[in-house]
Amino acid sequence: MATIIDVPEEKVLHVNNFEFTYASSETPNIKKLSMPIAKNCVTALIGPSGCGKTTLLRSFNRMHDLYPGNTYEGEVLFEGRNILDAKEDLIQLRTKIGMIFQKPTAFPMSIFDNVAYGLRLQGIKNKSELGDRVEKALKDAAIWNEAKDRLKHDANGLSGGQQQRLCIARAIAVEPEVLLFDEPTSALDPISTQGIEMLVSELKERVSIIIVTHNMQQAARVSDYTGFMYLGELIELGETEELFVTPKEKLTEEYITGKFG
Amino acid sequence: MSVVIDKVFALSTKIIALLVLLIVAWIFTVLLQHSMESINAFGFDFLTETKWAPNLEKFGALPAITGSVISTFLAMLLAVPIAIGVAIFLSEIAHHRLKAPVGVSIELLAAIPSVVYGMWGLFYFVPIIRDLFGGLGIGMLTAGIVLAIMILPFMAAVTRDAMDTTPDILKESAYALGATKWDVVKDIIVPYAKAGIIGSLILALGRAIGETMAVTFVMGNVHKISTDLTAPATSIPVTLANEFTEADTDLYFSSLFELSLILLVISFTIISIAKFYFLRRKRSL
């Protein structure tokens, strides 16, 4: 069946018998899935299109709640509670578990206001505090040098790679515990992709990262643990190197050697 | 052979397209031509004169212009907040089962002919206004309300369409930072759809200012500027609709043409501004 290792590190998230069903579906799109997410590590989720990796990722910040009729079962433990609980404060949860999307999503406002957005939502109004935290976030996202002279300019004037780093700055400005990356480089050129990958490796010092990617090399380069998903199930979770060099499951081996996918 | 067909096709579409330009120029020329007598007789005073006395051969457009502007302003004042509210509800708040039926009914409302709004206004709103504010119930206030109800569906539908163009991923990005629905509407959707919203407001404004049938019933056709919104008044289209059949002198006739010329210029200006917004939006996409 499935080979899922336990991680030696502290677990930031713990998925237990998780099931997810889209409103339009009669059977679960993710079936009885359990996995640990190690703290201050990068966990990659790979698998063919439609395997449920993005669906799983979007469950961790309850993005599916924006659309009616989707249902969760089981548990996702975070800070000692099940975040799938109906009483979970989603506004709070999403400040703790941030997300980076497939395409850069700069808001129609200035660079500064983009990064300050999440901080202002939390009620931070003090100008110098906002300024400091925006600067720090931009530096941490390695875009300060390009942005510092045009903080007041429209963020849509930045290039795609710069915008994606701006989105990362915006997400880390609110100091989340976990960052979810949903194929963050699928719309970017190779140079920008490299920049984002380096950033992901640096950021894990402070946040735990889960990254969904179509690109197996990317998973191999940036992650500590890799999970292989197929048809809504987690087939294998292992240390990245081990999973790619000596996969335990036949399906994993077939996928990473390009026999299907 | 196919090259010839292509050329013939290209030429014929070109001619048809140029025909549109020609018609616009033609209408403008005819209006200008027929207005000349009035323009020569009154000059710019036509725009500022408040008397409209056909029996004295004295014509001033100010009451009609004021009537058009104020009734339109009133209509916008009432319709804009409601239309934007409806649009926000439909695009972001409404349950998906409510979205389609309400959306379709709004589009149906937008398809009601304006004369029906006028009759409905006369038989329904005039008595209400009369009871509430006294007077005849016919006048600027009633006209403003009927106009507001008439332009509201169009405004709401187009504003909703503009808001719906906001990419889901952009909204999700804001939600992912801990934004509430209200935050997303005010910080993401409205700024993103701003050009489209303003465009829809201006198009509605253009429709309101040129509207004839809906207000002819409830305006009163009295050429008088009054501070009392419930007093009977007139607007440019109302004057034109009521008085062309009575224009017994050349100067009267010409003055009516000059009024229509003024209306045309106002509408052109408004549509040009709207176009400017739409074009700018297209370029930025």
Side-chain angles (χ1 to χ4, degrees):
Chain A
M1 273 288 292
T3 308
I4 292 149
I5 61 152
D6 197 13
V7 296
E9 291 89 356
E10 193 187 331
K11 297 172 193 72
V12 65
L13 284 172
H14 206 136
V15 186
N16 272 332
N17 282 323
F18 174 74
E19 288 207 336
F20 178 82
T21 315
Y22 278 112
S24 56
S25 172
E26 283 175 15
T27 52
N29 301 82
I30 292 180
K31 295 160 207 140
K32 295 277 175 209
L33 189 148
S34 299
M35 73 185 289
I37 305 286
K39 196 171 179 176
N40 293 96
C41 289
V42 178
T43 305
L45 293 170
I46 60 168
S49 297
C51 69
K53 53 194 191 300
T54 294
T55 305
L56 177 63
L57 192 78
R58 288 164 62 89
S59 304
F60 296 148
N61 64 348
R62 299 270 305 265
M63 261 300 133
H64 297 299
D65 289 52
L66 295 178
Y67 307 95
N70 301 324
T71 50
Y72 310 91
E73 295 287 337
E75 289 184 324
V76 176
L77 296 173
F78 173 65
E79 293 180 337
R81 63 183 192 279
N82 180 9
I83 58 169
L84 302 179
D85 201 288
K87 287 194 290 267
E88 177 69 26
D89 179 350
L90 297 186
I91 306 287
Q92 270 297 316
L93 176 72
R94 288 172 187 155
T95 63
K96 294 259 176 73
I97 302 183
M99 191 170 213
I100 308 296
F101 293 79
Q102 282 180 16
K103 281 187 282 182
T105 53
F107 297 149
M109 48 182 89
S110 74
I111 293 173
F112 184 92
D113 289 340
N114 258 280
V115 183
Y117 189 72
L119 300 168
R120 287 191 174 125
L121 285 178
Q122 294 184 3
I124 299 169
K125 291 202 181 75
N126 184 304
K127 272 217 173 99
S128 68
E129 189 187 351
L130 273 179
D132 290 346
R133 289 184 67 172
V134 167
E135 180 176 338
K136 184 169 183 308
L138 285 167
K139 279 180 175 157
D140 290 345
I143 190 179
W144 173 248
N145 285 332
E146 290 134 281
K148 66 177 179 217
D149 297 324
R150 41 176 173 164
L151 291 174
K152 294 244 153 35
H153 293 210
D154 189 346
N156 283 300
L158 296 170
S159 77
Q162 289 171 332
Q163 284 191 28
Q164 195 61 308
R165 274 179 284 148
L166 178 75
C167 293
I168 295 175
R170 188 172 67 193
I172 57 180
V174 297
E175 295 173 351
E177 296 290 316
V178 182
L179 263 186
L180 311 170
F181 285 78
D182 183 11
E183 296 180 38
T185 60
S186 60
L188 301 182
D189 62 84
I191 306 272
S192 307
T193 299
Q194 203 184 8
I196 301 290
E197 286 180 8
M198 279 167 59
L199 198 51
V200 167
S201 306
E202 281 164 28
L203 285 172
K204 71 173 178 184
E205 305 290 319
R206 282 176 299 139
V207 288
S208 313
I209 290 170
I210 309 173
I211 181 168
V212 161
T213 176
H214 265 304
N215 180 334
M216 279 182 269
Q217 283 76 29
Q218 182 169 70
R221 281 191 298 264
V222 302
S223 69
D224 304 291
Y225 295 99
T226 297
F228 168 63
M229 288 182 70
Y230 185 64
L231 299 177
E233 289 179 67
L234 183 66
I235 305 297
E236 184 165 354
L237 175 75
E239 282 183 37
T240 297
E241 216 182 294
E242 244 185 84
L243 185 128
F244 281 105
V245 179
T246 53
K248 303 281 182 295
E249 296 287 328
K250 201 162 177 348
L251 266 172
T252 315
E253 189 190 332
E254 283 175 356
Y255 181 70
I256 61 177
T257 53
K259 291 210 175 92
F260 73 95
Chain B
M1 189 58 205
S2 57
V3 178
V4 177
I5 293 177
D6 244 15
K7 276 200 174 136
V8 170
F9 183 65
L11 189 71
S12 49
T13 49
K14 196 184 203 174
I15 290 171
I16 294 166
L18 288 177
L19 206 62
V20 175
L21 269 182
L22 194 76
I23 290 173
V24 173
W26 188 16
I27 291 175
F28 191 79
T29 317
V30 169
L31 290 187
L32 192 65
Q33 221 174 21
H34 286 286
S35 307
M36 280 324 284
E37 192 175 338
S38 154
I39 292 174
N40 288 334
F42 307 113
F44 277 109
D45 288 349
F46 188 72
L47 298 174
T48 52
E49 175 57 54
T50 57
K51 263 207 178 66
W52 181 275
N55 50 342
L56 303 171
E57 292 272 279
K58 198 157 173 51
F59 299 100
L62 197 61
I65 296 175
T66 324
S68 282
V69 170
I70 291 180
S71 61
T72 306
F73 177 76
L74 264 178
M76 293 298 281
L77 202 67
L78 295 169
V80 169
I82 300 175
I84 290 181
V86 169
I88 290 173
F89 176 76
L90 283 178
S91 100
E92 203 54 17
I93 294 165
H95 191 272
H96 68 296
R97 269 190 224 128
L98 207 59
K99 228 174 228 187
V102 177
V104 170
S105 347
I106 284 192
E107 277 151 23
L108 283 177
L109 274 178
I112 293 179
S114 56
V115 63
V116 177
Y117 279 106
M119 289 170 63
W120 181 60
L122 179 63
F123 288 102
Y124 191 76
F125 266 113
V126 167
I128 292 180
I129 300 292
R130 190 166 40 206
D131 292 346
L132 283 178
F133 300 99
L136 292 168
I138 284 174
M140 209 83 91
L141 184 62
T142 318
I145 294 172
V146 171
L147 273 180
I149 295 171
M150 193 194 81
I151 58 175
L152 208 151
F154 169 80
M155 222 193 266
V158 180
T159 300
R160 175 206 57 189
D161 290 345
M163 288 178 169
D164 278 348
T165 61
T166 315
D168 279 345
I169 197 170
L170 206 59
K171 292 188 253 176
E172 285 178 4
S173 297
Y175 284 118
L177 283 166
T180 60
K181 254 184 188 161
W182 167 242
D183 293 324
V184 172
V185 167
K186 101 182 135 55
D187 300 328
I188 310 298
I189 297 176
V190 170
Y192 187 87
K194 194 170 64 190
I197 296 172
I198 294 173
S200 91
L201 299 191
I202 294 175
L203 285 178
L205 180 76
R207 205 177 150 199
I209 206 156
E211 180 49 40
T212 312
M213 290 323 292
V215 286
T216 301
F217 285 91
V218 295
M219 196 67 140
N221 195 32
V222 173
H223 288 268
K224 211 168 168 188
I225 300 176
S226 168
T227 50
D228 181 5
L229 288 180
T230 58
T234 194
S235 74
I236 297 177
V238 168
T239 307
L240 296 180
N242 278 312
E243 299 186 26
F244 252 115
T245 48
E246 301 164 9
D248 42 10
T249 66
D250 286 350
L251 191 59
Y252 194 176
F253 197 67
S254 178
S255 298
L256 289 172
F257 263 103
E258 195 179 345
L259 269 185
S260 63
L261 187 67
I262 292 169
L263 185 63
L264 186 77
V265 170
I266 296 175
S267 297
F268 262 30
T269 316
I270 291 170
I271 298 295
S272 307
I273 295 169
K275 257 287 177 248
F276 170 75
Y277 268 101
F278 277 130
L279 282 180
R280 207 179 55 171
R281 175 176 171 69
K282 256 186 211 144
R283 238 178 279 130
S284 71
L285 276 176

